[in-house]
């Protein structure tokens, strides 16, 4: 079976007679389907990788407080940063690996690391002390697992013709962006379990609103590995759609076309990398601060923050789907660079609106404190009063802005209308910037090995 499988993977994709495809080169239907099945599996891989990052973003702060009360918001920043640090270290390693070996290998190893990281995250309640450092390690390992995104993008760019590449890379970007946006929605679906949930005593596993999302992510990771083993094949074509000698197979046919080597615009490469960093930083920052921000500003409980912010991001996910569909059509008339610039402006306006102003201040999280200089009821509190859950009890933790945070005493509250408007604008600009930056990037690099340069 293994021999037959390798034989089929190395079989030429192109025939000798003209075909009906746009590039006028015949490709058998069997290999055309195999190539696109492989690409679509990587769409799923990219989506699940992004979901792994964002699925706990709404609950990571309350969960950190629960497992280790000594953790503060500064340590939360390190926990979030550990993911990016792990991904930064792992990406070039997986990239070099995939340059010389079949891409299945780094993909499977990276996903296994992610599965292990999710399992560790689910057991953070077990250690008697230093739990916050175990969370730091878990998120760092998850970042290492996410280093496979460069392999995914490189494979897709190398397995598509120039005419296919723009839409394929756009789909990859769409899957990544939707994973970032919709990840917290999966978290929201499990808020009904509450903080206590149930405990599986045999394996000491707590199944609650904090651990269920990562357990689901681990299960989907295992399913992803199975699909990669069963479906993914090595394919590589040039700009015209002709099969090229795959760098991942030493015994590939010498009759296959070689990828034309040319100079890459290094300035453009650096510029797009910087733009991608800015775009991802902006949305990661927004997802990171949204839970502690709303808990401080609107005196939301931990359950409320996870539920309401998940609903908001679910709405942004629907918005992103519409944006992706519209931008694909709009880019044909206006051009990618103009749309990218417009997306960046929209995001800037969104963050500008988020600036605090006015003379109302957050509710202080200090029992028996009554500050007459602070209005009794803000607009946000009126709205949240309508959303109060009947399941709440009188023994819930204190809510509001902690008196230990000095800024709570002098920083005006961000009105709920401000916050929602800002979220809509950021949710509008992020998918536009993400999609256009990668579309331009794929055109700059072409079908050459890209793992050393793909962000």
């Amino acid at each position: 079976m293994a021999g037959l499988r390798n034989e089929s993977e190395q079989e030429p994709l192109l025939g000798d007679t003209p075909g009906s495809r746009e590039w006028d080169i015949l490709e058998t239907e069997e290999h055309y389907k195999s190539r696109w099945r492989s690409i679509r599996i990587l769409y799923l891989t990219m989506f699940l990788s992004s979901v792994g990052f964002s699925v706990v973003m709404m609950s990571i702060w309350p969960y950190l407080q629960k497992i280790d009360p000594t953790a503060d918001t500064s340590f939360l920043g390190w926990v979030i940063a550990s993911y990016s640090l792990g991904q930064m270290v792992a990406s070039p390693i997986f990239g070099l690996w995939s340059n010389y070996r079949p891409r299945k290998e780094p993909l499977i190893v990276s996903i296994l690391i992610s599965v292990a990281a999710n399992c560790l995250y689910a057991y953070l309640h077990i250690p008697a002390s230093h739990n916050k450092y175990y969370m730091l390690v878990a998120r760092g390992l998850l970042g290492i697992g996410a280093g496979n995104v460069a392999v995914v993008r490189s494979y897709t760019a190398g397995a598509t013709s120039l005419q296919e590449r723009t839409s394929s890379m756009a789909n990859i970007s769409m899957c990544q962006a939707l994973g970032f946006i919709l990840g917290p929605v999966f978290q929201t679906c499990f808020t009904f379990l509450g903080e206590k949930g149930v405990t599986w005593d045999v394996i000491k596993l707590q199944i609650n609103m904090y651990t269920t999302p990562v357990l689901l992510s681990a299960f989907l990771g295992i399913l992803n590995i199975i699909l990669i083993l069963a479906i993914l094949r090595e394919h590589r074509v040039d700009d015209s759609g002709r099969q090229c000698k795959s760098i991942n197979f030493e015994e590939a046919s010498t009759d296959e076309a070689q990828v034309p080597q040319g100079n890459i615009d290094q300035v453009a490469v650096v510029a797009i990398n910087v733009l991608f960093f800015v775009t991802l930083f902006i949305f990661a920052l927004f997802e990171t601060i949204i839970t502690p921000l709303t808990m401080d500003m609107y005196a939301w409980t931990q359950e409320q923050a996870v539920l309401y912010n998940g609903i908001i991001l679910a709405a942004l996910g629907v918005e992103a789907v519409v944006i992706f569909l519209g931008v694909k059509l709009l880019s044909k008339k206006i051009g990618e660079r103009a749309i990218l610039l417009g997306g960046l402006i929209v995001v800037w306006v969104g963050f500008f609106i988020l600036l605090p102003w006015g003379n109302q201040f957050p509710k202080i999280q200090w029992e028996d404190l009554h500050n007459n200089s602070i209005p009794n009821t803000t607009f946000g509190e009126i709205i949240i009063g309508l959303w109060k859950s009947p399941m709440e009890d009188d023994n819930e933790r204190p809510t509001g802005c902690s008196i230990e945070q000095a800024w709570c005493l002098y920083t005006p509250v961000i009105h709920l209308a401000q916050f929602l408007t800002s979220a809509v604008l950021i949710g509008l600009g992020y998918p536009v910037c993400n999609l256009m930056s990668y579309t331009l990037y794929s055109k700059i690099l072409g079908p050459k090995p890209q793992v050393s340069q793909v962000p």
Side-chain angles (χ1 to χ4, degrees), residues 33 63 102-103 113 122 136 164 198 246 263 266 273 278 302 356 371 433 447 453:
K33 290 180 179 179
Y63 188 40
R103 291 183 175 93
I113 293 174
L136 187 71
E164 298 170 327
V198 296
S246 176
N263 295 327
Q266 297 295 335
N273 271 288
V278 171
Q302 294 176 344
N371 190 338
C433 296
Q453 297 178 337

Side-chain angles (χ1 to χ4, degrees), residues 62-90:
Y63 188 40
L64 181 59
Q65 289 179 306
K66 178 183 178 181
I67 63 172
D68 196 333
T70 65
D72 55 15
T73 51
S74 297
F75 192 82
L76 173 65
W78 286 109
V79 171
I80 301 300
S82 65
Y83 177 95
S84 300
L85 180 61
Q87 188 176 32
M88 181 184 70
V89 172

Side-chain angles (χ1 to χ4, degrees), residues 261-334:
Q261 300 297 322
N263 295 327
I264 297 177
D265 189 340
Q266 297 295 335
V267 175
V269 169
V270 172
I272 294 295
N273 271 288
V274 171
L275 286 174
F276 173 77
F277 169 80
V278 171
T279 302
L280 189 57
F281 172 81
I282 285 171
F283 198 77
L285 173 66
F286 180 72
E287 279 198 330
T288 301
I289 67 172
I290 188 173
T291 297
L293 176 68
T294 52
M295 290 174 66
D296 288 339
M297 287 290 173
Y298 312 125
W300 289 358
T301 64
Q302 294 176 344
E303 291 86 351
Q304 286 176 327
V306 172
L307 176 61
Y308 301 155
N309 289 323
I311 293 173
I312 291 171
L313 286 176
L316 296 186
V318 175
E319 177 189 24
V321 172
V322 176
I323 294 301
F324 278 125
L325 297 176
V327 166
K328 282 186 177 182
L329 299 176
L330 193 61
S331 62
K332 298 177 181 179
K333 298 181 179 180
I334 299 179

